[in-house]
Amino acid sequence: MNTSLIEFQSATLGYGRNVVLRDLSFRIHQGDYIGLVGPNGAGKTTIVRTILGTLKPITGTVRIVSVDGRPVRFGYVPQRDTIDYVLPYTAREVVTMGRYRNIGLFRLPGKSDREIVDDSLKHVEAVDFADIPFKDLSGGQKQRALIARALAAHPEVLILDEPTNGMDLSSRLSILGLIKHLHEERHLTVIMVSHLLDDVANHVKRIAIVQEGFFLVGDVGEVLTGANLSALYEMPVEVAQVKGNTIILAGGQHGIL
């Protein structure tokens, strides 16, 4: 039996009187690898903020409880563009920020904290550029450093916001492979936010399509159908399998979703 870590019950989400999503009811189970997919501005970030507790539902409930009843530990990987590149932090110092909640206010990292930081850097293959200023790293290196920062918090749930946005194909595949590896090796529950259907379709186990007036969640094969995507994007969409990979064909052209 799957254990629910996160449960939305008839939850309406938004900001003040501005409703973004209405009447959401779904669960995220321990060990899930789920993708939140939809156009920019559809409400994906609103769902993430609600899960992280920075946004309360307007109506309904959102229940977040770990297996043993303790608060769930989250590791959050923001979009790279939200990091202030002017600050002169090295990649290692960025990863150390993931320990701040455990270290406590006005305390310096101890030996165990430094060991956890080193271990996190190793897990994402970032040791070679650990002491290079974060602002000087490539897009893929920055993403690995941010993932290592999230891992340093020893999370149960890893949330990644557009982790492959703006990357070339090689870097995208490398980061997606890393996320899959962490999910399998560390048994992490993973929530990946993306507007790139191709990235999500071939890596996650479950998927939620998010759009104003449209929300559908389930196994990838059940959700990613031509009928569902045609209704979402209001254009003809086909879903095909090529050598075991899911290919999205929209408007007669591959790769525009």
Side-chain angles (χ1 to χ4, degrees):
M1 181 178 179
N2 290 332
T3 301
S4 294
L5 290 180
I6 302 164
E7 183 174 357
F8 284 67
Q9 296 178 327
S10 301
T12 294
L13 310 181
Y15 307 87
R17 295 182 179 179
N18 180 26
V19 173
V20 177
L21 295 164
R22 296 182 183 275
D23 199 28
L24 297 187
S25 293
F26 70 101
R27 296 178 178 181
I28 297 175
H29 302 106
Q30 182 183 21
D32 256 350
Y33 187 176
I34 186 169
L36 299 182
V37 180
N40 291 327
K44 304 185 299 295
T45 299
T46 301
I47 293 175
V48 167
R49 288 175 178 171
T50 304
I51 291 173
L52 291 173
T54 60
L55 185 68
K56 302 297 182 184
I58 296 172
T59 61
T61 60
V62 177
R63 182 176 178 270
I64 302 175
V65 181
S66 64
V67 177
D68 56 11
R70 294 183 301 173
V72 174
R73 297 189 306 276
F74 289 101
Y76 177 57
V77 182
Q79 295 187 40
R80 297 186 309 283
D81 292 344
T82 64
I83 304 299
D84 190 345
Y85 295 153
V86 176
L87 298 176
Y89 295 128
T90 64
R92 185 186 303 278
E93 289 168 333
V94 168
V95 176
T96 302
M97 293 175 187
R99 297 297 303 160
Y100 285 176
R101 178 175 293 183
N102 303 78
I103 294 170
L105 195 62
F106 304 124
R107 293 182 60 191
L108 295 175
K111 180 181 178 182
S112 64
D113 297 305
R114 292 192 293 272
E115 290 174 347
I116 290 170
V117 168
D118 287 342
D119 182 65
S120 299
L121 287 163
K122 289 176 184 177
H123 265 84
V124 302
E125 299 180 357
V127 174
D128 289 346
F129 54 85
D131 298 311
I132 295 176
F134 185 82
K135 64 182 178 63
D136 294 335
L137 301 178
S138 68
Q141 290 172 331
K142 287 173 181 173
Q143 197 64 63
R144 288 177 181 271
L146 293 176
I147 293 173
R149 182 179 71 166
L151 293 179
H154 282 177
E156 298 168 71
V157 180
L158 182 64
I159 301 178
L160 305 106
D161 193 353
E162 300 283 1
T164 61
N165 196 29
M167 291 185 181
D168 59 33
L169 179 60
S170 176
S171 297
R172 283 168 56 191
L173 293 177
S174 178
I175 291 298
L176 290 169
L178 170 62
I179 296 167
K180 181 180 180 181
H181 174 72
L182 293 172
H183 165 67
E184 294 174 346
E185 182 190 49
R186 292 204 168 193
H187 308 291
L188 291 173
T189 301
V190 176
I191 303 171
M192 183 165 69
V193 178
S194 180
H195 68 281
L196 300 171
L197 268 178
D198 281 354
D199 279 4
V200 174
N202 292 295
H203 290 84
V204 303
K205 296 178 179 177
R206 298 174 67 229
I207 193 167
I209 296 180
V210 187
Q211 173 64 295
E212 183 179 358
F214 189 102
F215 182 83
L216 185 63
V217 61
D219 292 341
V220 173
E222 297 173 352
V223 172
L224 285 189
T225 66
N228 287 338
L229 297 181
S230 295
L232 173 62
Y233 290 98
E234 299 181 343
M235 68 172 71
V237 178
E238 296 181 18
V239 179
Q241 295 293 321
V242 178
K243 296 183 179 180
N245 292 318
T246 299
I247 304 297
I248 311 297
L249 301 163
Q253 299 293 325
H254 168 238
I256 67 173
L257 294 183

